[in-house]
Amino acid sequence: MTDQAAIDTRIYGDPEDIRAAADKLYTIYEALYELSDQFRNRLRTNFYAWNGEAAHSYDDAAVSMGSKVQQLTDRFYSAYESLRAYAQQLDYHYRDMQSIREQAEYASLAIINDYDILPPTPIPEPTLGKWAVSMGGSNEFVECFCGG
């Protein structure tokens, strides 16, 4: 960025890196889902075959642990979905900023560093002397216009 006010059209972050991280989370999610499924199927006992306080305590602990594993699984899946959505938003904003740079270039605005759009150079204001000369050297209109 320069010392002039410029529009920075950079978008930080690489969508492909973010998708790769999401894929790693999905791999963990799949492993946890498999673990959760095994936990539900193998650790739960036939409730009718085992009675008493120990059976109820074991069943309560198995249900509680299964619920906690499921919560952990859900969190990994949620993180996976969030990262995928974030990567998609970055893709959208990359395209949007590219379009803005193309429009700025079309409008003849200077672009530096491939990303910073500089403001247009100001249009100089006309001076009264130049305006009066352009009116044929007469100051009558200027005096009338200015109230003089």
Side-chain angles (χ1 to χ4, degrees):
M1 191 90 120
T2 66
D3 57 347
Q4 295 180 344
I7 299 172
D8 183 359
T9 62
R10 287 175 189 85
I11 299 295
Y12 297 95
D14 183 355
E16 292 308 314
D17 288 345
I18 294 167
R19 283 186 186 93
D23 290 343
K24 291 180 190 297
L25 287 177
Y26 191 80
T27 301
I28 294 169
Y29 158 77
E30 287 180 316
L32 285 173
Y33 186 83
E34 176 74 22
L35 176 66
S36 176
D37 191 43
Q38 289 177 10
F39 192 85
R40 281 191 302 265
N41 293 333
R42 295 192 178 145
L43 293 183
R44 298 289 308 269
T45 62
N46 183 352
F47 190 72
Y48 298 108
W50 185 18
N51 289 320
E53 189 175 327
H56 291 291
S57 294
Y58 178 84
D59 195 54
D60 289 346
V63 168
S64 175
M65 183 61 77
S67 173
K68 289 176 183 173
V69 170
Q70 185 61 48
Q71 286 176 350
L72 182 60
T73 303
D74 292 346
R75 287 182 181 153
F76 269 90
Y77 190 77
S78 177
Y80 158 77
E81 284 184 322
S82 296
L83 285 177
R84 296 286 297 181
Y86 179 58
Q88 186 175 359
Q89 285 295 312
L90 281 180
D91 281 336
Y92 167 78
H93 290 297
Y94 275 125
R95 288 189 304 274
D96 193 37
M97 289 296 120
Q98 179 60 36
S99 174
I100 288 171
R101 287 189 295 272
E102 289 168 1
Q103 291 172 16
E105 188 175 31
Y106 181 76
S108 300
L109 295 176
I111 300 174
I112 58 171
N113 304 328
D114 294 327
Y115 296 101
D116 296 327
I117 302 171
L118 296 178
T121 52
I123 299 172
E125 291 191 31
T127 61
L128 281 179
K130 288 183 182 177
W131 191 67
V133 169
S134 71
M135 297 299 294
S138 169
N139 287 334
E140 293 173 14
F141 182 74
V142 173
E143 289 174 2
C144 291
F145 182 77
C146 297

